[in-house]
C-alpha cells in the first residue's frame, strides 16, 4: 500500500472517532492493519480504542496483547490495558422500571450487580401464566429502535435469527417459568405480544431497561484507592460484617484436612507446603482506609481452621506493613516489593535460610493499576518492581496464553541457588510470587486455578520439593477444593467458555510448545472439548 493510501485510512479512522462512529473507525483500522504492515502498531492501537468504545473488551485486550508483543516495555500499553480492565470490571445494576401490568407476565432480573462485561448475557427469569401469555412473544426494543421478537414456547427451543441476542433457554421446575440469558447492552424496553396479536401495535411495553453505575473504587485518605462493591464484598469482609456460615466453615474444615493429608502423603518424599493468603490492602494499610476493621474477620476464622489441620500458613500482614511500598495507591495487588516479602516468609517456612534480599533490587514504575483505571479521569502511581543485579538466566519455557483460570507458566533457571522444583497454585497475586521465585528455584511451575488447588498429580509429576497454594483475603468466603488431576480442576470449564480470540491465542501457544509438554497437550484437548488429563 502506498503511504498516501495508508494516511487516508488513518484520517478516515480519526474522523470517525471524532464523530463518535466507532464502527466506522473499526472498519478503517482493520483495513489499515490488513493492507499496511508498516502501520501495524498504529492500527492495533486504534483497534483497541475502538473495541473499548464499543465495549468489546475481549477484542480490545487481544489487540493490546498483539501490541505488547511488538513493544513489551511500553508504559502507554500498560495504561491502556489497565483502562480496558478497569472499564470491563466496573459494576452495573439492572433496573427494570415498570411501564404496564400484564396479568400472568412477570420479568425478574438478577439481584446482584453485574460486571460491565457481563451485560451481554444477563439472566432474566420470566414467570408466565395463562395461555395468552405463555404462547405469546417476548419483544425487545434496542436503543436504535430496532425490534426483536422471541416466541414464548414451552415445547421448542427458540433460536432468534438476528445476531447479538445471545440466549439460553432452560425449563425450570414449573412449566410457567423460563430462564433467559440475553444481551441487554443496547435494549431499552421489554414488552410482550399476547397470543393472537400479530402487529407491532399489539405490543404491551411492560418494562424500561436502565443500567445504574455501581462504584467499585473507594477513595481513602491521601489518595489511596480501595476495592468496594465487588462480588467478594471486600468492605464487609474487613469490617467483620461477613462471616463464615456453618456450611462454609465446614467446607474450609474439609479442605484443610484434605490438603493436610494429601501433603503429608507427598511429604514422605520431602515435599514442603506453604498456604499463602495475600492480605487485602486495607488489612496492611488500615490508616488509609475509611472504614474500621471488625473485631473478628474471615481471615481470623480461616487461619484457625488451617492451623488446627496442620496446614503451614503464611499470612504476612505484619511483614507487609513493615515493608516500604508493599502496595501502591492505584492497584489492589501487592507490589513486587510486597510479594517478595511474602516469598521470604515462604522460604523461611521451607527452611531455606539465606540473604535473599541481597539478590534483588527494586525500582519505581508508573502504573495505572486495576483501581486507577476505574477512576474518571484515570490516575496513576509509582509501584516498586523487581530489578535483578548481575547475570540471570531464568527464562520462560512455556506460557499457556491465558490470563486467568488456566494460565500455566513454566520458568527454568539453571543457575538458581535452589536446584529444586517449586509448584505455585493461585491467581494474579501468585503470578508475582512465581516470577520472583524463578530467580531462586531451578524450575517454577505456576497453575492458575484458585478455586481448585492444589492439583496433586501436577505436584507428583513435577517431582516438586516445594508447593505454594495462594489465595486472596477477599476470596476467603469460599473454600477451594483439593483435586487429583487437571481434568478435575476448574480449567476445562474455563477453556470451554473462552471467546474466539483467546481460544486462538491458547491454540497458538499449544502449537508452539514442545511435543512432550503435557500442559499444552491438556489445554489442546480442552479446546477440542475433551478433558483427558495427561499429567501424572
Amino acid at each position: 500500500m502506498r503511504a498516501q493510501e495508508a494516511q487516508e485510512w488513518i484520517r478516515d479512522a480519526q474522523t470517525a472517532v471524532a464523530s463518535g462512529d466507532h464502527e466506522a473507525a473499526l472498519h478503517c483500522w482493520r483495513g489499515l492493519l490488513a493492507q499496511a504492515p508498516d502501520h501495524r502498531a498504529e492500527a492495533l492501537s486504534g483497534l483497541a480504542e475502538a473495541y473499548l468504545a464499543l465495549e468489546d473488551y475481549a477484542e480490545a485486550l487481544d489487540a493490546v496483547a498483539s501490541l505488547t508483543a511488538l513493544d513489551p516495555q511500553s508504559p502507554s500499553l500498560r495504561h491502556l490495558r489497565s483502562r480496558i480492565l478497569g472499564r470491563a470490571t466496573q459494576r452495573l445494576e439492572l433496573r427494570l422500571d415498570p411501564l404496564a401490568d400484564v396479568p400472568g407476565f412477570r420479568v425478574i432480573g438478577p439481584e446482584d450487580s453485574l460486571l460491565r462485561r457481563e451485560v451481554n448475557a444477563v439472566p432474566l427469569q420470566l414467570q408466565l401464566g395463562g395461555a395468552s401469555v405463555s404462547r405469546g412473544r417476548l419483544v425487545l426494543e434496542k436503543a436504535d429502535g430496532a425490534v426483536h421478537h422471541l416466541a414464548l414456547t414451552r415445547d421448542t427451543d427458540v433460536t432468534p435469527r438476528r445476531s447479538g441476542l445471545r440466549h439460553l433457554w432452560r425449563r425450570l421446575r414449573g412449566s410457567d417459568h423460563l430462564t433467559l440469558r440475553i444481551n441487554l447492552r443496547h435494549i431499552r424496553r421489554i414488552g410482550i405480544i399476547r397470543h393472537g396479536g400479530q402487529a407491532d401495535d399489539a405490543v404491551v411495553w411492560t418494562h424500561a431497561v436502565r443500567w445504574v453505575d455501581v462504584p467499585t473504587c473507594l477513595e481513602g485518605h491521601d489518595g489511596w484507592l480501595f476495592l468496594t462493591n465487588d462480588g467478594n464484598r471486600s468492605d464487609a469482609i474487613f469490617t467483620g460484617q461477613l462471616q463464615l456460615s456453618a456450611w462454609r466453615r465446614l467446607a474450609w474444615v474439609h479442605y484443610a484436612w484434605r490438603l493436610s493429608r494429601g501433603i503429608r502423603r507427598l511429604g514422605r518424599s520431602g515435599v514442603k507446603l506453604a498456604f499463602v493468603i495475600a492480605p487485602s490492602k486495607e488489612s496492611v494499610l488500615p490508616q488509609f482506609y475509611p472504614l474500621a476493621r471488625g473485631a473478628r474477620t474471615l481471615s481470623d476464622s480461616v487461619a484457625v481452621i488451617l492451623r488446627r489441620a496442620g496446614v503451614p500458613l503464611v499470612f504476612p500482614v505484619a511483614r507487609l506493613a513493615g515493608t516500604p511500598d508493599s502496595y501502591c495507591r492505584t492497584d489492589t495487588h501487592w507490589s513486587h516489593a510486597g510479594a517478595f516479602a511474602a516469598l521470604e516468609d515462604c522460604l523461611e517456612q521451607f527452611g531455606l535460610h539465606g540473604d535473599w534480599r541481597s539478590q534483588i533490587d527494586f525500582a519505581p514504575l508508573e502504573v495505572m493499576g486495576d483501581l486507577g483505571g476505574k477512576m474518571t479521569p484515570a490516575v496513576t502511581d509509582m509501584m516498586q518492581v523487581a530489578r535483578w543485579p548481575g547475570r540471570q538466566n531464568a527464562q520462560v519455557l512455556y506460557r499457556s496464553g491465558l490470563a486467568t483460570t488456566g494460565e500455566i507458566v513454566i520458568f527454568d533457571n539453571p543457575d538458581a541457588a535452589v536446584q529444586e522444583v517449586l509448584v505455585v497454585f493461585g491467581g494474579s497475586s501468585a503470578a508475582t510470587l512465581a516470577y520472583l521465585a524463578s530467580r531462586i528455584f531451578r524450575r517454577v511451575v505456576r497453575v492458575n486455578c484458585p478455586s481448585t488447588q492444589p492439583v496433586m498429580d501436577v505436584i507428583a509429576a513435577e517431582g516438586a520439593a516445594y508447593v505454594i497454594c495462594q489465595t486472596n483475603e477477599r476470596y476467603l468466603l469460599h473454600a477451594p477444593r483439593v483435586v487429583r488431576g487437571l481434568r478435575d480442576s476448574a480449567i476445562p470449564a474455563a477453556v470451554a467458555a473462552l471467546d474466539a480470540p483467546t481460544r486462538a491465542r491458547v491454540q497458538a501457544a499449544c502449537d508452539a510448545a514442545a511435543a512432550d509438554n503435557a500442559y499444552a497437550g491438556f489445554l489442546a484437548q480442552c479446546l477440542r472439548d475433551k478433558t483427558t488429563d495427561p499429567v501424572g
Side-chain angles (χ1 to χ4, degrees):
M1 173 182 281
R2 292 178 302 176
Q4 182 178 352
E5 293 174 340
Q7 290 303 316
E8 289 176 359
W9 278 111
I10 296 171
R11 186 167 55 252
D12 290 346
Q14 293 171 341
T15 301
V17 170
S19 64
D21 190 351
H22 299 288
E23 290 282 4
L26 198 64
H27 171 74
C28 295
W29 293 123
R30 284 173 175 164
L32 182 66
L33 182 64
Q35 300 183 37
D38 292 344
H39 292 269
R40 179 175 175 80
E42 188 170 6
L44 286 170
S45 179
L47 282 173
E49 293 285 1
Y51 281 125
L52 175 59
L54 294 169
E55 299 185 354
D56 191 337
Y57 305 112
E59 292 284 3
L61 289 172
D62 191 60
V64 170
S66 299
L67 270 171
T68 304
L70 299 177
D71 187 4
Q73 304 303 321
S74 171
S76 62
L77 288 184
R78 288 196 305 273
H79 294 168
L80 175 56
R81 185 174 186 275
S82 294
R83 277 202 296 123
I84 295 169
L85 289 174
R87 179 75 172 169
T89 55
Q90 287 178 337
R91 301 195 76 86
L92 299 172
E93 185 176 292
L94 175 63
R95 301 282 176 84
L96 296 174
D97 298 327
L99 299 176
D101 180 48
V102 174
F105 179 69
R106 188 180 178 198
V107 181
I108 304 173
E111 293 183 1
D112 297 329
S113 61
L114 300 171
L115 295 177
R116 186 177 290 275
R117 65 189 180 199
E118 294 174 340
V119 301
N120 62 346
V122 179
L124 295 180
Q125 183 178 330
L126 307 183
Q127 294 184 358
L128 312 174
S132 65
V133 170
S134 60
R135 297 179 185 176
R137 283 178 289 163
L138 185 70
V139 186
L140 304 167
E141 183 185 51
K142 300 183 75 173
D144 60 5
V147 175
H148 302 275
H149 293 203
L150 301 176
L152 294 175
T153 173
R154 298 186 183 122
D155 302 320
T156 58
D157 290 332
V158 179
T159 306
R161 295 180 180 178
R162 294 185 181 272
S163 61
L165 295 175
R166 301 185 215 168
H167 67 289
L168 172 64
W169 289 94
R170 179 168 58 87
R171 288 189 64 181
L172 300 182
R173 294 176 182 172
S175 60
D176 58 344
H177 288 69
L178 290 172
T179 296
L180 166 71
R181 287 190 182 273
I182 196 164
N183 185 349
L184 289 183
R185 188 184 302 276
H186 302 297
I187 301 300
R188 68 181 180 187
R189 287 195 297 180
I190 297 174
I192 187 171
I193 299 178
R194 284 170 283 195
H195 182 60
Q198 299 296 327
D200 286 346
D201 58 11
V203 177
V204 180
W205 297 109
T206 59
H207 297 85
V209 177
R210 185 163 54 94
W211 291 100
V212 177
D213 285 322
V214 177
T216 53
C217 191
L218 178 64
E219 293 190 60
H221 308 302
D222 295 341
W224 283 84
L225 304 179
F226 299 88
L227 195 63
T228 188
N229 288 323
D230 57 307
N232 301 297
R233 298 179 62 192
S234 298
D235 45 2
I237 291 175
F238 182 78
T239 60
Q241 292 176 306
L242 196 59
Q243 296 288 341
L244 291 178
S245 63
W247 72 271
R248 292 190 189 279
R249 181 182 300 276
L250 185 60
W252 269 107
V253 170
H254 177 71
Y255 171 76
W257 285 103
R258 280 207 64 191
L259 176 61
S260 180
R261 186 171 65 249
I263 293 297
R264 277 201 304 271
R265 288 173 181 170
L266 292 171
R268 296 167 191 161
S269 303
V271 178
K272 295 182 179 180
L273 168 73
F275 189 93
V276 180
I277 300 175
S280 296
K281 186 162 66 172
E282 53 268 27
S283 293
V284 177
L285 302 167
Q287 67 270 29
F288 299 117
Y289 195 61
L291 304 177
R293 187 183 191 276
R296 185 174 181 83
T297 66
L298 280 179
S299 59
D300 298 322
S301 301
V302 172
V304 169
I305 293 170
L306 292 171
R307 289 188 174 115
R308 282 178 179 171
V311 175
L313 176 64
V314 173
F315 185 38
V317 175
R319 186 185 282 261
L320 290 173
T323 300
D325 302 314
S326 57
Y327 292 83
C328 77
R329 286 177 171 82
T330 60
D331 201 274
T332 306
H333 306 86
W334 49 27
S335 67
H336 283 198
F340 192 80
L343 181 60
E344 286 182 299
D345 271 4
C346 293
L347 295 171
E348 290 179 9
Q349 189 80 257
F350 295 150
L352 298 173
H353 305 291
D355 186 13
W356 306 111
R357 177 70 56 171
S358 65
Q359 300 183 25
I360 190 172
D361 195 8
F362 299 97
L365 178 71
E366 185 182 18
V367 298
M368 187 176 294
D370 59 354
L371 297 174
K374 297 178 186 293
M375 302 295 289
T376 304
V379 295
T380 63
D381 192 24
M382 305 306 291
M383 176 181 279
Q384 293 296 315
V385 298
R387 292 289 184 269
W388 303 99
R391 187 169 65 93
Q392 278 293 332
N393 288 331
Q395 59 179 330
V396 176
L397 293 183
Y398 170 69
R399 192 181 296 274
S400 66
L402 286 157
T404 53
T405 299
E407 181 183 19
I408 300 174
V409 185
I410 302 174
F411 297 94
D412 180 76
N413 185 357
D415 297 331
V418 180
Q419 287 290 305
E420 292 177 292
V421 179
L422 168 69
V423 175
V424 180
F425 299 97
S428 52
S429 296
T432 314
L433 281 177
Y435 168 71
L436 297 173
S438 70
R439 268 56 182 179
I440 297 172
F441 292 87
R442 178 183 62 80
R443 180 178 170 93
V444 176
V445 178
R446 185 177 82 87
V447 181
N448 186 336
C449 52
S451 64
T452 49
Q453 60 165 312
V455 182
M456 304 304 289
D457 285 351
V458 170
I459 299 172
E462 288 291 342
Y466 306 98
V467 177
I468 291 176
C469 292
Q470 183 275 323
T471 190
N472 290 350
E473 186 178 2
R474 66 178 184 273
Y475 298 156
L476 292 180
L477 188 62
H478 306 283
R481 289 187 297 112
V482 178
V483 294
R484 172 58 56 189
L486 287 172
R487 67 181 175 197
D488 307 314
S489 73
I491 295 176
V495 173
L498 292 178
D499 55 72
T502 309
R503 290 180 70 89
R505 189 162 61 248
V506 175
Q507 185 63 63
C510 291
D511 295 341
D516 61 349
N517 187 318
Y519 305 102
F522 168 70
L523 289 173
Q525 290 174 349
C526 289
L527 290 172
R528 296 192 297 269
D529 295 326
K530 298 178 182 178
T531 58
T532 302
D533 186 357
V535 177

